[in-house]
């Protein structure tokens, strides 16, 4: 039976490629993009790749757009839309914090509410959240983003338990540092802050995303396997080779003590690393 896949945040990054690949495989795919200008751009790219892809404007923070999506009879939902606001917790302007949670948490959860109830009525469906390793761990200067992804993890876990008896499956995908541009531009968001720069604790012109980054292909392949039901695991930390390191980091929280007043290694790395640094083979 043909299923309809809805991919939010499909205007760029993981979402765009996942939507195009699913369409290439012959699936019925709706690619939701944030702004109308992205509609024709993605349609053109789909045409160039010879795939039939339905592209719709879907800003997850827009109530009208969310209501419109309820007419699409979605069977599989990938909540991929998201933004990342980099900066120290003490410097982030209030509107930046609110925007982080509106896009990454409130919008997707409100969209999911209506679609999930439609899935329950059909007795089947799959909801996947593009979370992050930042939903499990935290780096310096990513508190807002990590906070939003920790919230996503909570909602996804609750939904998995609440919808189980109704035939709806829930899963998360937790990418680490992948070289899509998303992480590096997070450390440029300060350029649009409406604040007094003299009050900032840090000079953000000197800071960059503090990790080498991986090729995004693994995320694309795993996401498609999860969406199509080939992969039935609940959580997917990627790259898979980092799983044990993430587990060790999470377990280390139980023996953690207060800081000793020295600069943490990742803060130092943020000063030293160059943007868009790939993992060395």
């Amino acid at each position: 039976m043909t299923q309809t896949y809805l991919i939010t945040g499909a205007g760029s990054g993981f979402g765009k490629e996942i939507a195009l690949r699913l369409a290439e495989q012959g699936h019925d795919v709706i690619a939701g993009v944030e702004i109308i200008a992205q509609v024709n751009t993605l349609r053109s790219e789909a045409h160039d790749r010879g795939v039939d892809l339905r592209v719709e404007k879907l800003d997850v923070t827009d109530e009208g757009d969310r209501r419109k999506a309820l007419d699409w009879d979605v069977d599989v939902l990938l909540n991929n839309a998201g933004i990342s606001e980099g900066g120290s917790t003490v410097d982030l302007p209030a509107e930046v914090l609110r925007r982080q949670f509106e896009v990454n948490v409130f919008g997707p959860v409100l969209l999911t509410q209506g679609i999930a109830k439609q899935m329950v009525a059909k007795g089947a469906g799959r909801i996947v959240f593009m979370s992050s390793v930042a939903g499990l761990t935290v780096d310096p200067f990513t508190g807002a983003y990590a906070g939003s992804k920790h919230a996503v993890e909570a909602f996804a876990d609750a939904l998995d338990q609440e919808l189980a008896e109704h035939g709806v499956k829930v899963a998360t995908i937790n990418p680490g540092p992948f070289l899509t541009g998303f992480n590096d531009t997070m450390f440029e968001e300060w350029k649009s802050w409406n604040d007094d720069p003299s009050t900032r604790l840090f000079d953000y012109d000197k800071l960059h995303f503090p990790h080498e980054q991986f090729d995004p292909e693994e995320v694309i392949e795993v996401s498609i396997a999860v969406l199509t039901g080939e992969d039935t695991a609940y959580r997917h930390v990627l790259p898979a080779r980092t799983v044990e390191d993430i587990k060790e980091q999470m377990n280390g929280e139980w023996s953690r003590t207060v800081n000793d007043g020295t600069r943490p290694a990742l803060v130092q790395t943020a000063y030293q690393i160059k943007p868009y640094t790939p993992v060395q083979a």
Side-chain angles (χ1 to χ4, degrees), residues 5-171:
Y5 294 76
L6 172 58
I7 315 299
T8 70
S12 62
F14 296 139
K16 180 172 77 169
E17 189 59 28
I18 290 167
L20 287 166
R21 296 271 188 99
L22 282 169
E24 284 174 341
Q25 294 178 6
H27 297 290
D28 180 13
V29 183
I30 302 173
V33 298
E34 180 187 8
I35 58 176
I36 197 68
Q38 294 174 309
V39 173
N40 282 333
T41 300
L42 185 51
R43 284 176 181 166
S44 177
E45 186 165 348
H47 179 268
D48 291 344
R49 287 174 62 161
V51 300
D52 184 12
L53 178 65
R54 178 179 170 184
V55 185
E56 298 279 357
K57 177 186 175 296
L58 176 56
D59 177 350
V60 296
T61 68
D62 186 300
E63 183 179 357
D65 282 2
R66 293 196 302 265
R67 187 165 51 246
K68 178 177 62 178
L70 296 180
D71 294 330
W72 299 341
D73 194 22
V74 174
D75 298 293
V76 182
L77 169 64
L78 173 59
N79 281 307
N80 171 75
I83 60 172
S84 53
E85 299 284 358
S88 170
T89 302
V90 300
D91 286 336
L92 289 166
E95 63 270 18
V96 169
L97 284 169
R98 292 191 177 96
R99 176 68 177 166
Q100 180 71 87
F101 279 78
E102 287 290 346
V103 177
N104 287 18
V105 184
F106 303 134
V109 170
L110 292 171
L111 174 68
T112 298
Q113 286 180 340
I115 291 176
K117 288 179 179 178
Q118 292 178 332
M119 291 177 176
V120 167
K122 292 185 286 188
R126 186 172 294 110
I127 300 168
V128 180
F129 289 87
M130 186 63 77
S131 181
S132 173
V133 165
L136 308 173
T137 62
V138 186
D139 285 347
F141 312 114
T142 65
Y145 177 68
S148 73
K149 290 302 184 179
H150 275 66
V152 165
E153 289 288 322
F155 280 113
D157 197 337
L159 278 170
D160 184 49
Q161 299 176 64
E162 295 156 0
L163 299 180
E165 66 189 273
H166 299 287
V168 181
K169 313 294 184 184
V170 179

Side-chain angles (χ1 to χ4, degrees), residues 100-251:
Q100 180 71 87
F101 279 78
E102 287 290 346
V103 177
N104 287 18
V105 184
F106 303 134
V109 170
L110 292 171
L111 174 68
T112 298
Q113 286 180 340
I115 291 176
K117 288 179 179 178
Q118 292 178 332
M119 291 177 176
V120 167
K122 292 185 286 188
R126 186 172 294 110
I127 300 168
V128 180
F129 289 87
M130 186 63 77
S131 181
S132 173
V133 165
L136 308 173
T137 62
V138 186
D139 285 347
F141 312 114
T142 65
Y145 177 68
S148 73
K149 290 302 184 179
H150 275 66
V152 165
E153 289 288 322
F155 280 113
D157 197 337
L159 278 170
D160 184 49
Q161 299 176 64
E162 295 156 0
L163 299 180
E165 66 189 273
H166 299 287
V168 181
K169 313 294 184 184
V170 179
T172 68
I173 300 169
N174 300 75
F178 284 89
L179 195 52
T180 64
F182 184 83
N183 298 313
D184 294 285
T185 54
M186 169 169 54
F187 276 69
E188 294 184 41
E189 289 294 329
W190 60 271
K191 295 178 181 178
S192 61
W193 289 356
N194 183 23
D195 69 336
D196 179 357
S198 69
T199 67
R200 296 173 187 166
L201 184 61
F202 291 92
D203 181 353
Y204 294 101
D205 200 35
K206 298 179 180 178
L207 297 172
H208 303 290
F209 182 69
H211 294 281
E212 296 179 343
Q213 300 176 69
F214 297 89
D215 185 294
E217 181 63 25
E218 184 178 359
V219 177
I220 309 301
E221 293 178 355
V222 170
S223 297
I224 291 173
V226 174
L227 290 166
T228 57
E230 177 185 346
D231 184 327
T232 59
Y234 171 76
R235 174 169 287 139
H236 305 79
V237 171
L238 302 171
R241 65 193 247 192
T242 65
V243 168
E244 293 307 314
D245 290 340
I246 297 301
K247 287 181 179 179
E248 182 178 352
Q249 187 175 349
M250 294 173 69
N251 288 336

